[in-house]
Amino acid sequence: MKNNIYIYILVMTVTVFLVRVLPLTLIRKPIRNKFIRDFLYYVPYVTLSVMTFPAIIDATDNPFAGLFALIIGIFAAYKNLGLFKVTVICCISVLLIEFLF
Amino acid sequence: MYTFRKGLKDGLPIGFGYFAVAFSLGIIAAQAGLTPFQGFLTSLLVNASAGENAAFIAIKENVPYLQMVLIMIVSNIRYVLMSFALSQKIAPKTHMIHRLLLGFFLTDEYFALAISQDPYCNPYYSYGAISFAAPCWASGTALGIIMGNILPPRIVSALSVALFGMFLAIIIPPAKKDKAIACLIVISFLCSYLLSRFTTISESMITIILTIVISSLGALLFPTKGEKHEE
């Protein structure tokens, strides 16, 4: 049976709201535990990496176009081109490869 | 009023960026079976690129509601850090309603804007940026769901990597300065690839497991020195 999308949206909204608001309102002291601090520090990078690869090569019609976009995207981001430019460059890379092959 | 207008102006580039990324998110939402209205509602209420991406994949997999809670916690746990940091940038006397609103709209970009102010962040400055960028985010998602089915496959294929481009723009620059992050990114790519290709574990579950395992590993192997946490 399919779960209800509106209940999903409600669950998402409440959970993400609590994640964002609880520290801001309740906890006024900095976290002391070194392991938890370091863990939290690394989390964003790991989550975003796991979600990027291999998803990027599955997203495009031609997996090599996705791989190319990944490499070009890493290069562009390495050059500090900023969020918008990196995004556009990735899209153009895919267009180019899928047009050529 | 001046503060609000200045926020609005600084929110323009954020809004355009959001629109493009939300569009690509809409393509994923469409695959999960969301209607344009449901996509609009989700983006309006959730305001999280990585979180919504993970959530749409989870909806497609028809996961139990409790697993959705877990996915939202893991894919958004970085906001815990930002929320801590932001709490230091809000004037002590600030009313609770402003704290709740700023928390509700806490994203990487709004966070960057808020902490760039000195000494404290004026909530109305943030509201200015949000008043333009948040509608861009929500309508971009809805349009992505509608247009994903209309646009030629070549264009959809190209636009679908926009979201990942944004992720790269977030993770790569810090990796230049911090070799530990660079190392964890490579490990994450590898493990994610192996688990997705050689096991039957679902994509959303892989995100949860690997985030917890690899971040713990990072905390054990590469303990940070001092004040690296203030992003």
Side-chain angles (χ1 to χ4, degrees):
Chain A
M1 211 193 83
K2 273 280 183 199
N3 285 326
N4 188 311
I5 288 184
Y6 288 101
I7 298 180
Y8 273 133
I9 296 177
L10 181 73
V11 170
M12 289 160 72
T13 306
V14 173
T15 312
V16 83
F17 182 68
L18 292 179
V19 166
R20 282 170 167 154
V21 160
L22 284 186
L24 201 59
T25 52
L26 294 183
I27 311 158
R28 313 253 165 142
K29 281 187 241 166
I31 311 174
R32 302 226 173 248
N33 185 299
K34 184 79 168 63
F35 178 81
I36 294 176
R37 285 175 60 112
D38 289 352
F39 173 80
L40 286 173
Y41 172 72
Y42 288 125
V43 160
Y45 306 107
V46 175
T47 310
L48 293 178
S49 305
V50 169
M51 291 208 300
T52 300
F53 190 76
I56 191 169
I57 60 173
D58 296 331
T60 51
D61 290 337
N62 177 347
F64 290 103
L67 189 64
F68 184 66
L70 176 71
I71 294 165
I72 297 290
I74 289 175
F75 183 74
Y78 191 85
K79 291 282 169 200
N80 283 328
L81 287 186
L83 202 139
F84 190 64
K85 277 188 194 156
V86 174
T87 302
V88 172
I89 288 170
C90 284
C91 293
I92 293 173
S93 308
V94 171
L95 264 186
L96 205 72
I97 293 288
E98 294 195 340
F99 179 75
L100 289 175
F101 299 99
Chain B
M1 198 58 216
Y2 168 75
T3 315
F4 183 88
R5 275 218 306 273
K6 184 166 184 307
L8 186 64
K9 188 169 151 277
D10 292 344
L12 292 181
I14 295 181
F16 294 128
Y18 273 6
F19 189 83
V21 172
F23 192 93
S24 129
L25 200 57
I27 296 170
I28 298 166
Q31 292 163 2
L34 272 81
T35 64
F37 174 72
Q38 289 166 337
F40 182 85
L41 194 65
T42 307
S43 283
L44 199 66
L45 296 172
V46 179
N47 292 300
S49 57
E52 286 182 46
N53 179 45
F56 292 146
I57 291 165
I59 291 176
K60 196 164 137 192
E61 292 168 356
N62 202 38
V63 301
Y65 296 122
L66 197 66
Q67 191 179 332
M68 178 62 96
V69 171
L70 204 62
I71 289 161
M72 290 314 278
I73 292 175
V74 169
S75 63
N76 292 296
I77 205 160
R78 69 181 187 282
Y79 293 124
V80 171
L81 260 190
M82 288 186 202
S83 189
F84 275 119
L86 189 60
S87 69
Q88 314 297 312
K89 288 294 287 185
I90 296 178
K93 292 264 172 69
T94 306
H95 197 275
M96 188 56 111
I97 190 80
H98 291 306
R99 289 178 186 270
L100 293 178
L101 273 172
L102 289 175
F104 184 82
F105 287 106
L106 181 55
T107 69
D108 306 57
E109 290 75 22
Y110 301 144
F111 174 76
L113 273 192
I115 60 163
S116 68
Q117 293 184 284
D118 243 1
Y120 289 117
C121 160
N122 182 329
Y124 293 97
Y125 174 73
S126 294
Y127 300 154
I130 291 164
S131 69
F132 176 71
C136 284
W137 180 247
S139 56
T141 312
L143 202 70
I145 296 176
I146 299 167
M147 300 294 281
N149 300 318
I150 302 172
L151 289 172
R154 280 246 163 97
I155 304 290
V156 173
S157 179
L159 286 170
S160 61
V161 300
L163 181 71
F164 305 116
M166 185 173 105
F167 291 170
L168 292 174
I170 297 172
I171 62 175
I172 299 297
K176 268 172 26 180
K177 286 181 230 123
D178 190 336
K179 290 285 169 294
I181 293 177
C183 182
L184 292 180
I185 291 174
V186 173
I187 293 175
S188 300
F189 278 3
L190 264 175
C191 294
S192 171
Y193 182 81
L194 292 176
L195 287 187
S196 84
R197 291 299 186 267
F198 301 107
T199 69
T200 52
I201 307 170
S202 70
E203 215 177 320
S204 54
M205 208 44 156
I206 290 176
T207 306
I208 296 174
I209 296 170
L210 287 185
T211 299
I212 294 170
V213 172
I214 298 175
S215 303
S216 304
L217 200 74
L220 288 174
L221 293 180
F222 314 112
T224 60
K225 296 174 208 78
E227 295 310 298
K228 234 154 83 174
H229 296 276
E230 317 313 325
E231 288 170 55

